[in-house]
Amino acid sequence: MPQTRFVLKKALEFGHAVVVVVNKIDRPSARPDFVINSTFELFIELNASDEQCDFQAIYASGIKGKAGLSADNLAEDLGPLFESIIRCIPGPHIDKDGALQMLATNIEYDEHKGRIAIGRLHAGVLLKGMEVRVCTSEDSCRYARISELFVYEKFSKTPVERVEAGDICAVCGIEDIQIGETIADKAFGKPLPAIKVEEPTVKMAFSINTSPFVGREGKYVTSRNLRDRLYRELERNLAMRVEDGETADTFIVSGRGTLHITILIENMRREGYEFMVGPPKVINKKVADKLLEPYEVIF
């Protein structure tokens, strides 16, 4: 799938080790050898190193809660999967005694709490109510106060007063936090190497429904409803761009591929929005001062 290729490509570029899990091994039509060979070819296609191509394969049946190193010999639980993760995936490089450093690697949005920065503490200790520096670079810093702290337990966030180096946490209180910025010690903290959000590659035009059947499938049909919803999406979807179109009821939405925008379309449809969309078009970029020839993507 496109999203799987993209995430795997990024993981391989960063040099991460990968554990491949072949699920649903209990199905009568299961083809474990074919899946492993296809995965190996995908690794080669994505320029994986020799070490990354020598990945650990785990065979599992998620519905039965079983896993094993062989498709014909599954354990009674998922123990082999967790043991492989501990054995094959190196632990984080942390400095418990150093000055606070946390890189914001993801952003969530809450109607009451605002933006929530998610990441791992690389060094030091972070406390609720603590004053911190938020840095993009050595020369670009501002100050903020942590209003709430959460850690992840099972499938939910749990509020805490303190997190230490190595913990993955969610931080509230920094309204303008961006992916790639560092939450650092107020006095001695330094920024970590920033990560960059991929730029949009495809754009589509969103507009109000002007057909004779308007209002039959949705309850939000006006340009104001559409505009408010699209710009609200930017609070939680930082890789997306929205700009006003040529008319008052048209908006240009840019994303990282048609799948990225299609997910937004489906979510809005389920929320009761009724609108029209135009065909996806590739965003032209200048390369060495030469404009690439435009073309359209059809799906």
Side-chain angles (χ1 to χ4, degrees), residues 70-249:
S70 170
D72 302 323
N73 186 22
L74 300 185
E76 292 301 316
D77 54 26
L78 295 175
L81 171 59
F82 298 127
E83 292 168 1
S84 297
I85 293 174
I86 294 174
R87 183 177 68 255
C88 301
I89 308 299
H93 300 287
I94 60 174
D95 182 6
K96 291 190 175 183
D97 299 323
L100 169 65
Q101 283 183 312
M102 171 186 161
L103 185 66
T105 55
N106 200 5
I107 298 291
E108 285 185 357
Y109 183 79
D110 184 272
E111 295 292 341
H112 304 288
K113 298 180 177 64
R115 283 196 177 185
I116 303 175
I118 301 172
R120 184 193 300 276
L121 253 69
H122 289 258
V125 174
L126 185 60
L127 305 173
K128 180 179 178 180
M130 185 177 182
E131 293 188 355
V132 297
R133 294 175 68 191
V134 182
C135 301
T136 304
S137 64
E138 289 279 4
D139 302 323
S140 178
C141 296
R142 59 194 185 279
Y143 296 96
R145 180 187 294 272
I146 305 302
S147 60
E148 292 186 77
L149 274 177
F150 298 89
V151 295
Y152 291 88
E153 293 185 0
K154 298 181 179 178
F155 297 103
S156 61
K157 293 195 289 285
T158 302
V160 293
E161 298 289 327
R162 167 193 177 102
V163 292
E164 299 180 351
D167 292 337
I168 296 176
C169 64
V171 178
C172 304
I174 309 174
E175 296 182 356
D176 56 349
I177 187 71
Q178 299 285 345
I179 290 178
E181 292 187 321
T182 300
I183 300 173
D185 183 81
K186 183 178 180 181
F188 306 105
K190 295 183 178 181
L192 291 163
I195 57 177
K196 182 181 178 182
V197 178
E198 292 288 327
E199 292 295 323
T201 59
V202 174
K203 61 183 178 181
M204 295 176 68
F206 284 51
S207 61
I208 62 172
N209 186 4
T210 56
S211 77
F213 304 103
V214 60
R216 294 193 177 185
E217 293 188 1
K219 57 182 178 179
Y220 303 115
V221 298
T222 67
S223 59
R224 183 172 62 89
N225 295 144
L226 183 59
R227 177 187 175 87
D228 290 345
R229 177 60 180 84
L230 289 175
Y231 279 95
R232 192 164 66 247
E233 181 70 18
L234 301 182
E235 295 289 346
R236 58 171 60 87
N237 200 335
L238 301 185
M240 190 162 282
R241 305 285 186 271
V242 177
E243 55 186 316
D244 294 340
E246 296 180 355
T247 62
D249 55 9

Side-chain angles (χ1 to χ4, degrees), residues 283-292:
I283 297 175
N284 298 318
K285 296 182 182 294
K286 288 185 177 181
V287 180
D289 296 328
K290 181 180 179 181
L291 187 63
L292 297 177

Side-chain angles (χ1 to χ4, degrees), residues 18-50:
V18 180
V19 175
V20 175
V21 180
V22 183
N23 193 24
K24 301 179 181 178
I25 201 68
D26 55 319
R27 296 280 185 89
S29 58
R31 300 178 297 170
D33 293 337
F34 172 81
V35 171
I36 291 296
N37 291 334
S38 298
T39 304
F40 180 76
E41 292 174 359
L42 176 61
F43 273 55
I44 295 176
E45 184 180 338
L46 297 179
N47 298 320
S49 66
D50 293 342

